């Protein structure tokens, strides 16, 4: 079974440079909890260049979120800002960094054809 979170962070780091973030610099640490343990992922943004590492060192922005919810965020099933507003995500520090990084989360996947209805007159 694949891990959507690990896949997302590895892909993010491999791509390296993101023009959408060219005016952004800072560090974001994701503290992902669940099943009695926590994962720590650290994203460093330097004018659009992204590096990803593991660790719980200081960051400009720290995001506390359940691992299962974060899996939903990186697969497009959960809207990040909606989850923040619902209180499902706790963000400390420079909130603008998570707002900027959200641009790199996938959009909501399309609905399967069997669930969409067409109305003909």
């Amino acid at each position: 079974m694949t891990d959507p979170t690990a896949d997302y962070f590895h892909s993010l780091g491999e791509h390296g440079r993101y023009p959408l973030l060219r005016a952004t610099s800072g560090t974001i640490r994701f503290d992902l909890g669940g099943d009695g343990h926590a994962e720590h992922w650290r994203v460093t943004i330097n004018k659009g260049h992204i590096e990803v590492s593991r660790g719980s060192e200081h960051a400009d922005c720290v995001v506390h979120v359940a691992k299962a919810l974060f899996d939903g965020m990186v697969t497009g099933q959960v809207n990040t800002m909606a989850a923040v507003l619902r209180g499902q995500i706790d963000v400390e520090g420079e909130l603008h960094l998570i707002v900027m990084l959200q641009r790199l989360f996938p959009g909501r996947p399309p609905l399967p054809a069997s669930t969409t209805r067409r109305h003909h007159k």
Side-chain angles (χ1 to χ4, degrees), residues 36-117:
H37 74 283
E39 292 181 26
H40 304 282
W41 292 88
R42 189 173 155 81
V43 176
T44 302
I45 306 168
N46 184 6
K47 297 180 182 175
H49 181 75
I50 291 184
E51 292 182 17
V52 176
S53 60
R54 302 290 300 260
S56 58
E57 295 84 13
H58 172 78
D60 301 314
C61 177
V62 178
V63 179
H64 303 276
V65 61
K67 168 88 168 59
L69 183 65
F70 194 78
D71 285 346
M73 291 165 49
V74 299
T75 58
Q77 301 297 316
V78 175
N79 179 284
T80 304
M81 285 302 114
V84 168
L85 294 173
R86 286 192 302 265
Q88 295 176 302
I89 300 172
D90 181 35
V91 181
E92 300 172 12
E94 298 184 31
L95 180 62
H96 77 278
L97 290 172
I98 189 65
V99 171
M100 297 304 290
L101 189 65
Q102 178 196 344
R103 294 177 176 187
L104 303 182
F105 287 165
R108 188 164 196 78
L111 292 173
S114 63
T115 62
T116 58
R117 295 182 182 237

